[in-house]
Amino acid sequence: MDTRYLQTFREVAKWHSFTRAAEILGYAQSSVTTQIQNLETEFGVTLFERWGRKIRLTQAGEVLLAYSEQLLAILEETKANLSEQAHLAGTLSIGTVESLAAFYLPPYLQKFRQEQPRMRISLHPGICHDLRQGVKDGRYDFAFVLDWLQDHPELTTINLGEQKLVVICAPTHPLAKKDKIEAYDFSGENWIFTESGCSYRSIMEAVLRDAGATIVSSFEFGSLEAIKQCVAYDLGIALVPYIAVAEEAKKGTLAILPFSHPDVRVYRQLVYHKKKWMPQALLRFLEILTTDVVPAPVGSKEKRAFG
């Protein structure tokens, strides 16, 4: 069997589309169709079924997709392991939440790039659950998440320190005049939330419900910049990582509210698969990230690797 068939199958399953898979892979659609048919003949099963105007995996397709991810990951690992240049060239695929990609990772990536100039770095934004799944599936070498501390049997998780979360509003918002704010003070306030599934959004919603505060949300964005702009125009308030709004707070274009809660707490975490084979370049990146970084109790000062 040509392993390219498995790659084609994975793309069709990812996009739920023969046409889109053909575009991504640079094939004619007829070639994609033929490859899938060859796979179905090889295994004697139907891999996709029509669902309205779309296609979806059959049960047999779901099983083959899981095995395909494993097989393709092993093939990639084998290629990297056998290559004499594995520690000098290749692609580092990183899944990350947007705030860490923009405000935390750049100096680390800069240092790594200076040492490994031939390594290509590919960043993939997402929410925490999807990023962990991407590591499990072999799509990412590493993932950086902002979440409460969790233990997953298939994953190694390194705590890189607590990430402060703050509630922001426009400087003219009535809450900006208060000296102290409790969760119930947010009742009836219009929230501008990150997309559903975001860990710290879920944490804040739980805190508001526990306090009996009425949750009102008119906007939901996957972009931090969109959230910050809407807050600046007094369209609502939002919970965001402090690093994402530090400059705006300093300039006075956004106000940080005097609110804190013991449950509104997340940690920067580096995640990779326990079975992940680490070429020299990836080991060096891991070393850069974790040098002098000690998981610390809440409230203590954290150390950074450099910068």
Side-chain angles (χ1 to χ4, degrees):
M1 183 196 304
D2 191 331
T3 56
R4 288 177 299 178
Y5 294 177
L6 295 178
Q7 293 173 327
T8 299
F9 167 66
R10 182 172 64 178
E11 288 300 317
V12 175
K14 176 181 178 181
W15 298 105
H16 303 286
S17 168
F18 283 74
T19 303
R20 181 59 174 156
E23 292 174 354
I24 295 294
L25 296 170
Y27 294 156
Q29 186 174 337
S30 58
S31 296
V32 171
T33 301
T34 299
Q35 290 183 35
I36 298 302
Q37 290 173 343
N38 288 343
L39 276 178
E40 291 179 327
T41 301
E42 176 77 22
F43 292 109
V45 297
T46 299
L47 298 174
F48 294 98
E49 61 183 355
R50 286 285 174 186
W51 188 258
R53 299 179 64 182
K54 297 183 179 180
I55 61 171
R56 69 177 185 181
L57 288 167
T58 61
Q59 185 175 359
E62 294 280 2
V63 173
L64 181 59
L65 181 61
Y67 280 115
S68 296
E69 295 285 8
Q70 296 177 46
L71 288 169
L72 293 172
I74 291 172
L75 284 173
E76 288 299 318
E77 179 179 317
T78 302
K79 290 177 183 178
N81 203 359
L82 294 177
S83 172
E84 292 182 0
Q85 299 298 314
H87 68 293
L88 296 175
T91 299
L92 178 61
S93 182
I94 302 173
T96 177
V97 295
E98 181 191 2
S99 57
L100 294 184
F103 301 100
Y104 177 75
L105 283 176
Y108 295 92
L109 295 174
Q110 179 190 49
K111 183 173 178 65
F112 177 72
R113 190 67 176 273
Q114 289 170 347
E115 295 184 10
Q116 305 284 347
R118 295 181 60 190
M119 281 292 292
R120 178 174 175 269
I121 300 171
S122 180
L123 294 179
H124 305 271
I127 58 176
C128 296
H129 175 271
D130 293 344
L131 295 174
R132 287 193 177 92
Q133 189 60 48
V135 172
K136 292 179 183 179
D137 294 342
R139 287 180 282 130
Y140 309 137
D141 296 303
F142 300 102
F144 291 90
V145 300
L146 278 181
D147 212 337
W148 58 85
L149 297 175
Q150 299 180 45
D151 183 29
H152 295 261
E154 300 175 57
L155 305 176
T156 296
T157 301
I158 299 175
N159 177 14
L160 298 174
E162 184 177 350
Q163 181 59 61
K164 183 180 179 181
L165 296 173
V166 293
V167 178
I168 57 172
C169 68
T172 55
H173 194 285
L175 288 178
K177 301 175 182 179
K178 286 182 169 286
D179 295 327
K180 184 177 182 181
I181 295 175
E182 302 294 343
Y184 57 79
D185 293 325
F186 292 128
S187 186
E189 291 294 334
N190 187 55
W191 285 88
I192 302 173
F193 280 127
T194 49
E195 57 192 315
S196 179
C198 172
S199 58
Y200 53 86
R201 168 181 173 171
S202 299
I203 291 172
M204 191 70 218
E205 287 177 324
V207 167
L208 293 173
R209 284 193 297 268
D210 290 344
T214 303
I215 302 175
V216 181
S217 176
S218 300
F219 295 95
E220 180 180 302
F221 295 106
S223 165
L224 271 173
E225 286 303 315
I227 290 173
K228 290 193 292 184
Q229 286 297 317
C230 286
V231 171
Y233 278 94
D234 204 14
L235 295 174
I237 62 177
L239 178 73
V240 295
Y242 172 71
I243 54 173
V245 294
E247 285 300 314
E248 289 87 348
K250 183 177 180 180
K251 294 175 182 177
T253 56
L254 290 173
I256 295 176
L257 295 176
F259 168 77
S260 64
H261 191 285
D263 292 338
V264 182
R265 178 169 291 150
V266 292
Y267 298 84
R268 295 185 301 271
Q269 297 165 66
L270 168 66
V271 180
Y272 60 92
H273 204 290
K274 288 183 177 178
K275 294 183 180 179
K276 172 72 179 175
W277 176 75
M278 293 284 190
Q280 191 63 37
L282 296 194
L283 287 173
R284 177 55 187 146
F285 182 62
L286 187 63
E287 183 181 5
I288 289 172
L289 285 162
T290 57
T291 299
D292 295 331
V293 175
V294 180
V298 174
S300 62
K301 294 182 179 180
E302 56 184 287
K303 300 178 181 178
R304 291 189 60 178
F306 66 94

